Amino acid sequence: MPKIKYHRIAAILVLVATAAWIATGEFSSVGSASQEAEAARKAEAEKAAERPATLKTVQVARPPRLEHARTIRISGRTEAHKETVLAARATGIVEELPFSEGDLVAEGDLIMRLDPQGKDVAVESARQLLEQREAEAEAAERLADSGNIARLRLREARSAVASARSALETAKAELDRISVRAPFSGVIDAVHTEKGTALTQGDKVATLLQLDPILAVGEVSERNLGDIRRDDVAEVRLVTGATLNGRIRHVSRAASPQTRTYRVEVMIENPDRRIPAGMTAEINLLTQSVETVALPRSVITLNAEGELGVRAVDPEGVVHFYPIDIVDDTPGALYLAGIPADARIIVAGQDLVTEGETVNAVMADEETLRDLAGGPAVQKAMQR
């Protein structure tokens, strides 16, 4: 029997051991272990998905509903209720000028009178001639009734009376033209002549203003025109700081060709005439009241489309966005329409959440409300 070499014996032993290992199934368990590990990882991921995620916390407030008038703010100025420049109606020398600048006058008061230059004498002469013609006509009536003169002579006498009466009226009109009288009550704002000055017809005499009532005048845009009505209430703030109430007297129905805006006149009582014409004013036109909420500016945010609005949370904690209609913008608050009555407005964290997201909503504490509130109106609205 030939002798077997050592390396062949070693190879045979390795082969036998490998066959035994395969037979035990340990080789196939490598793949099974890998599959079990993958299944365990999937199960862990599913459990993690099932666990609730940590919700973002936002602070909310439920502002009450407030009736507030929509306010249209425009810049303007004061103007006299009536203004006129009185002018000479005839040629002559100024004889009387009884009033000075700043004097109050009543309707019909004499403002200026020219030297009559014989016009008063002409009136007296025409009056005497009329009296003579009337006496002659009366005599002709009696004679005609008795048949002593022809009816033609009577008609001539009556015609002479009419002619004399016309001459008297003409002489009176000429005399009246030398006087300038106030067409309405007011204040003399300027005097443009002096006693002894020679005037021609049409020369300026004085400027007369009626300051009670006084007007606050401004321009509104085409967009706001439909919200304004005659007799609506208006608030006027003068450059002096005084605030006055008035009513809209007139809204122009024709736009300015240059600005495409419409003139609005607000009438204000001014019994002491302390408010002058030409003073700068801010006019707040108060339209019909609407239901609003008062919120600070910091609550306002933008959505993805760039719309202004607020974010609110529904009873399920889902975030919603509501576009707003700014009814009034005051130093203390924005008065907004378009927000549902039951909305819980997000007052802290509104820029950190998106529409459709579920959040943890908590009512804002008093300190947060004080920080947000810019004035008493907002504090009232936010604290409920």
Side-chain angles (χ1 to χ4, degrees):
M1 180 177 180
K3 186 178 181 179
I4 301 174
K5 294 182 179 181
Y6 174 76
H7 67 274
R8 289 184 180 179
I9 295 173
I12 293 170
L13 291 175
V14 170
L15 179 62
V16 171
T18 302
W21 177 48
I22 293 173
T24 60
E26 292 296 327
F27 179 78
S28 62
S29 67
V30 174
S32 299
S34 176
Q35 292 175 359
E36 290 176 2
E38 182 66 22
R41 283 194 297 270
K42 288 183 178 180
E44 184 65 26
E46 290 175 358
K47 289 180 180 179
E50 291 175 359
R51 285 197 298 266
T54 302
L55 299 179
K56 297 176 183 176
T57 299
V58 296
Q59 295 189 25
V60 297
R62 198 190 301 273
R65 319 299 288 183
L66 306 171
E67 287 293 325
H68 193 82
R70 184 182 299 276
T71 303
I72 301 172
R73 289 183 171 81
I74 57 176
S75 297
R77 65 194 179 282
T78 58
E79 286 187 5
H81 181 233
K82 294 180 181 179
E83 178 177 357
T84 187
V85 178
L86 305 175
R89 299 187 295 157
T91 299
I93 306 298
V94 177
E95 183 178 73
E96 292 183 57
L97 200 63
F99 292 102
S100 302
E101 294 175 350
D103 289 346
L104 298 177
V105 297
E107 181 179 349
D109 282 352
L110 178 68
I111 304 299
M112 186 274 297
R113 181 181 175 89
L114 299 175
D115 184 343
Q117 296 178 332
K119 291 183 174 63
D120 51 347
V121 176
V123 170
E124 185 60 29
S125 177
R127 180 178 290 109
Q128 292 178 1
L129 178 61
L130 176 60
E131 292 175 355
Q132 178 182 344
R133 294 292 183 258
E134 287 176 341
E136 291 174 353
E138 289 176 3
E141 289 279 356
R142 290 193 295 270
L143 292 174
D145 290 341
S146 61
N148 293 323
I149 62 171
R151 288 288 175 181
L152 179 61
R153 295 287 301 277
L154 176 59
R155 286 196 292 272
E156 290 176 352
R158 290 173 176 171
S159 177
V161 170
S163 178
R165 184 174 289 113
S166 176
L168 176 60
E169 293 301 323
T170 300
K172 285 181 177 180
E174 288 295 323
L175 180 62
D176 183 64
R177 287 191 183 96
I178 70 172
S179 300
V180 174
R181 297 184 180 275
F184 52 81
S185 299
V187 58
I188 302 294
D189 188 60
V191 177
H192 306 290
T193 188
E194 297 290 344
K195 289 180 67 173
T197 302
L199 300 180
T200 59
Q201 186 175 355
D203 285 347
K204 293 181 180 180
V205 174
T207 299
L208 179 64
L209 304 178
Q210 187 177 82
L211 299 177
D212 182 28
I214 197 166
L215 302 179
V217 178
E219 307 280 334
V220 297
S221 66
E222 298 170 305
R223 182 181 60 184
N224 292 325
L225 184 64
D227 295 328
I228 301 172
R229 298 287 184 274
R230 184 175 178 179
D231 291 328
D232 279 352
V233 176
E235 182 183 83
V236 179
R237 186 176 294 106
L238 301 178
V239 70
T240 59
T243 301
L244 309 164
N245 293 321
R247 290 192 174 272
I248 297 177
R249 185 189 78 159
H250 174 68
V251 181
S252 176
R253 308 316 298 177
S256 166
Q258 291 78 26
T259 61
R260 305 303 304 167
T261 54
Y262 296 80
R263 178 183 170 95
V264 176
E265 298 177 357
V266 177
M267 189 163 61
I268 306 166
E269 297 299 323
N270 188 28
D272 54 4
R273 302 175 183 83
R274 294 184 63 182
I275 305 171
M279 180 174 284
T280 301
E282 180 187 81
I283 305 171
N284 299 324
L285 306 176
L286 307 179
T287 63
Q288 187 175 5
S289 294
V290 295
E291 190 177 65
T292 65
V293 295
L295 291 171
R297 291 171 182 80
S298 59
V299 174
I300 308 305
T301 187
L302 295 172
N303 65 3
E305 287 73 35
E307 292 180 291
L308 278 176
V310 297
R311 288 192 171 94
V313 179
D314 66 14
E316 286 72 35
V318 179
V319 176
H320 297 273
F321 180 86
Y322 296 106
I324 56 172
D325 176 16
I326 300 177
V327 173
D328 195 8
D329 183 357
T330 69
L334 290 176
Y335 290 84
L336 310 175
I339 301 175
D342 59 347
R344 292 185 297 165
I345 309 299
I346 302 177
V347 298
Q350 67 272 19
D351 293 323
L352 304 177
V353 296
T354 58
E355 293 79 70
E357 182 178 352
T358 301
V359 297
N360 177 34
V362 298
M363 296 304 293
D365 54 33
E366 292 187 5
E367 182 179 354
T368 302
L369 293 178
R370 282 196 301 270
D371 292 341
L372 288 168
V378 185
Q379 293 176 16
K380 279 185 181 179
M382 300 293 290
Q383 292 174 349
R384 184 177 180 177

mmCIF file of all heavy atoms in Angstrom, residues 10 17 24 88-89 100 109 111 145 163 191 207 217 252 274 288-289 341 344 369 377 381:
data_model
loop_
_atom_site.group_PDB
_atom_site.id
_atom_site.type_symbol
_atom_site.label_atom_id
_atom_site.label_comp_id
_atom_site.label_asym_id
_atom_site.label_seq_id
_atom_site.Cartn_x
_atom_site.Cartn_y
_atom_site.Cartn_z
ATOM 1 N N ALA A 10 -4.487 16.641 4.830
ATOM 2 C CA ALA A 10 -5.039 17.921 5.310
ATOM 3 C C ALA A 10 -6.187 18.398 4.419
ATOM 4 O O ALA A 10 -7.213 18.900 4.884
ATOM 5 C CB ALA A 10 -3.936 18.973 5.354
ATOM 6 N N ALA A 17 -14.777 18.656 6.918
ATOM 7 C CA ALA A 17 -15.305 19.664 7.858
ATOM 8 C C ALA A 17 -16.291 20.615 7.181
ATOM 9 O O ALA A 17 -17.323 20.985 7.742
ATOM 10 C CB ALA A 17 -14.142 20.439 8.469
ATOM 11 N N THR A 24 -25.147 21.138 8.758
ATOM 12 C CA THR A 24 -25.817 21.653 9.973
ATOM 13 C C THR A 24 -26.721 22.848 9.696
ATOM 14 O O THR A 24 -27.486 23.278 10.553
ATOM 15 C CB THR A 24 -24.771 22.053 11.012
ATOM 16 O OG1 THR A 24 -23.940 23.062 10.491
ATOM 17 C CG2 THR A 24 -23.929 20.849 11.414
ATOM 18 N N ALA A 88 -65.990 148.007 -7.475
ATOM 19 C CA ALA A 88 -66.716 149.245 -7.776
ATOM 20 C C ALA A 88 -67.635 149.016 -8.970
ATOM 21 O O ALA A 88 -67.262 148.374 -9.951
ATOM 22 C CB ALA A 88 -65.732 150.370 -8.065
ATOM 23 N N ARG A 89 -68.850 149.579 -8.876
ATOM 24 C CA ARG A 89 -69.821 149.412 -9.968
ATOM 25 C C ARG A 89 -69.943 150.659 -10.839
ATOM 26 O O ARG A 89 -70.703 150.677 -11.801
ATOM 27 C CB ARG A 89 -71.191 149.065 -9.390
ATOM 28 C CG ARG A 89 -71.180 147.763 -8.596
ATOM 29 C CD ARG A 89 -72.588 147.393 -8.191
ATOM 30 N NE ARG A 89 -73.147 148.365 -7.270
ATOM 31 C CZ ARG A 89 -74.459 148.556 -7.079
ATOM 32 N NH1 ARG A 89 -75.336 147.860 -7.782
ATOM 33 N NH2 ARG A 89 -74.888 149.444 -6.205
ATOM 34 N N SER A 100 -62.918 148.667 8.258
ATOM 35 C CA SER A 100 -61.506 148.336 8.099
ATOM 36 C C SER A 100 -61.343 146.822 8.086
ATOM 37 O O SER A 100 -62.287 146.068 8.352
ATOM 38 C CB SER A 100 -60.677 148.932 9.246
ATOM 39 O OG SER A 100 -60.835 150.336 9.308
ATOM 40 N N ASP A 109 -74.901 146.046 4.825
ATOM 41 C CA ASP A 109 -74.108 147.173 5.338
ATOM 42 C C ASP A 109 -73.333 147.837 4.211
ATOM 43 O O ASP A 109 -72.856 147.178 3.283
ATOM 44 C CB ASP A 109 -73.123 146.698 6.412
ATOM 45 C CG ASP A 109 -73.796 146.468 7.749
ATOM 46 O OD1 ASP A 109 -74.982 146.818 7.893
ATOM 47 O OD2 ASP A 109 -73.127 145.914 8.654
ATOM 48 N N ILE A 111 -70.268 149.245 2.470
ATOM 49 C CA ILE A 111 -68.837 148.973 2.509
ATOM 50 C C ILE A 111 -68.044 150.148 1.934
ATOM 51 O O ILE A 111 -67.003 150.527 2.458
ATOM 52 C CB ILE A 111 -68.501 147.695 1.723
ATOM 53 C CG1 ILE A 111 -69.308 146.508 2.262
ATOM 54 C CG2 ILE A 111 -67.005 147.390 1.783
ATOM 55 C CD1 ILE A 111 -69.048 146.180 3.708
ATOM 56 N N ASP A 145 -113.297 163.092 -18.092
ATOM 57 C CA ASP A 145 -114.563 162.584 -17.567
ATOM 58 C C ASP A 145 -115.708 163.570 -17.828
ATOM 59 O O ASP A 145 -116.855 163.156 -18.034
ATOM 60 C CB ASP A 145 -114.440 162.323 -16.064
ATOM 61 C CG ASP A 145 -113.529 161.129 -15.772
ATOM 62 O OD1 ASP A 145 -113.308 160.305 -16.701
ATOM 63 O OD2 ASP A 145 -113.023 161.012 -14.623
ATOM 64 N N SER A 163 -93.108 157.893 -18.591
ATOM 65 C CA SER A 163 -91.769 158.312 -18.967
ATOM 66 C C SER A 163 -91.034 158.933 -17.779
ATOM 67 O O SER A 163 -89.844 158.668 -17.555
ATOM 68 C CB SER A 163 -91.843 159.301 -20.121
ATOM 69 O OG SER A 163 -90.562 159.756 -20.483
ATOM 70 N N VAL A 191 -58.980 145.213 2.537
ATOM 71 C CA VAL A 191 -59.502 146.431 1.902
ATOM 72 C C VAL A 191 -58.504 146.849 0.836
ATOM 73 O O VAL A 191 -57.310 147.012 1.122
ATOM 74 C CB VAL A 191 -59.704 147.563 2.932
ATOM 75 C CG1 VAL A 191 -60.162 148.834 2.238
ATOM 76 C CG2 VAL A 191 -60.706 147.137 4.003
ATOM 77 N N THR A 207 -62.354 142.407 0.257
ATOM 78 C CA THR A 207 -62.614 140.968 0.241
ATOM 79 C C THR A 207 -63.420 140.624 1.480
ATOM 80 O O THR A 207 -63.034 140.950 2.607
ATOM 81 C CB THR A 207 -61.301 140.165 0.246
ATOM 82 O OG1 THR A 207 -60.554 140.492 -0.923
ATOM 83 C CG2 THR A 207 -61.579 138.673 0.262
ATOM 84 N N VAL A 217 -61.911 121.199 3.375
ATOM 85 C CA VAL A 217 -62.007 120.715 1.997
ATOM 86 C C VAL A 217 -60.833 119.793 1.699
ATOM 87 O O VAL A 217 -59.682 120.087 2.040
ATOM 88 C CB VAL A 217 -62.015 121.904 1.009
ATOM 89 C CG1 VAL A 217 -62.071 121.415 -0.426
ATOM 90 C CG2 VAL A 217 -63.195 122.813 1.311
ATOM 91 N N SER A 252 -68.259 116.269 -4.750
ATOM 92 C CA SER A 252 -68.262 116.592 -6.178
ATOM 93 C C SER A 252 -68.567 115.348 -7.003
ATOM 94 O O SER A 252 -68.142 114.238 -6.673
ATOM 95 C CB SER A 252 -66.901 117.173 -6.585
ATOM 96 O OG SER A 252 -66.870 117.395 -7.981
ATOM 97 N N ARG A 274 -62.880 131.726 15.139
ATOM 98 C CA ARG A 274 -61.474 131.571 15.516
ATOM 99 C C ARG A 274 -60.712 130.729 14.492
ATOM 100 O O ARG A 274 -59.493 130.805 14.414
ATOM 101 C CB ARG A 274 -61.378 130.925 16.898
ATOM 102 C CG ARG A 274 -61.934 131.800 18.022
ATOM 103 C CD ARG A 274 -61.728 131.157 19.372
ATOM 104 N NE ARG A 274 -60.310 130.995 19.673
ATOM 105 C CZ ARG A 274 -59.840 130.417 20.768
ATOM 106 N NH1 ARG A 274 -60.694 129.926 21.663
ATOM 107 N NH2 ARG A 274 -58.549 130.297 20.977
ATOM 108 N N GLN A 288 -70.271 104.132 7.223
ATOM 109 C CA GLN A 288 -71.147 103.269 7.996
ATOM 110 C C GLN A 288 -70.346 102.293 8.862
ATOM 111 O O GLN A 288 -69.343 101.730 8.430
ATOM 112 C CB GLN A 288 -72.056 102.487 7.052
ATOM 113 C CG GLN A 288 -73.128 101.677 7.770
ATOM 114 C CD GLN A 288 -74.068 101.022 6.775
ATOM 115 O OE1 GLN A 288 -73.879 101.100 5.583
ATOM 116 N NE2 GLN A 288 -75.090 100.365 7.289
ATOM 117 N N SER A 289 -70.796 102.086 10.112
ATOM 118 C CA SER A 289 -70.104 101.202 11.036
ATOM 119 C C SER A 289 -70.217 99.745 10.587
ATOM 120 O O SER A 289 -71.248 99.329 10.055
ATOM 121 C CB SER A 289 -70.672 101.346 12.450
ATOM 122 O OG SER A 289 -70.413 102.627 12.964
ATOM 123 N N ALA A 341 -66.157 84.965 13.674
ATOM 124 C CA ALA A 341 -66.459 85.335 15.059
ATOM 125 C C ALA A 341 -65.822 84.397 16.073
ATOM 126 O O ALA A 341 -65.469 84.816 17.172
ATOM 127 C CB ALA A 341 -67.973 85.382 15.256
ATOM 128 N N ARG A 344 -59.737 81.886 16.977
ATOM 129 C CA ARG A 344 -58.724 82.136 18.004
ATOM 130 C C ARG A 344 -57.468 82.616 17.279
ATOM 131 O O ARG A 344 -56.768 81.835 16.631
ATOM 132 C CB ARG A 344 -58.444 80.865 18.810
ATOM 133 C CG ARG A 344 -59.598 80.415 19.685
ATOM 134 C CD ARG A 344 -59.205 79.217 20.547
ATOM 135 N NE ARG A 344 -58.862 78.049 19.737
ATOM 136 C CZ ARG A 344 -58.221 76.993 20.203
ATOM 137 N NH1 ARG A 344 -57.833 76.964 21.478
ATOM 138 N NH2 ARG A 344 -57.960 75.964 19.419
ATOM 139 N N LEU A 369 -50.169 89.888 26.455
ATOM 140 C CA LEU A 369 -51.190 90.812 25.971
ATOM 141 C C LEU A 369 -50.763 92.255 26.190
ATOM 142 O O LEU A 369 -50.988 93.115 25.332
ATOM 143 C CB LEU A 369 -52.518 90.543 26.692
ATOM 144 C CG LEU A 369 -53.187 89.194 26.374
ATOM 145 C CD1 LEU A 369 -54.460 89.043 27.178
ATOM 146 C CD2 LEU A 369 -53.472 89.079 24.888
ATOM 147 N N ALA A 377 -57.543 100.508 23.432
ATOM 148 C CA ALA A 377 -58.487 99.807 22.564
ATOM 149 C C ALA A 377 -58.059 98.366 22.348
ATOM 150 O O ALA A 377 -58.869 97.438 22.389
ATOM 151 C CB ALA A 377 -58.596 100.535 21.222
ATOM 152 N N ALA A 381 -59.713 94.760 23.670
ATOM 153 C CA ALA A 381 -60.076 93.743 22.694
ATOM 154 C C ALA A 381 -59.404 92.418 22.989
ATOM 155 O O ALA A 381 -59.991 91.358 22.786
ATOM 156 C CB ALA A 381 -59.696 94.206 21.287
#
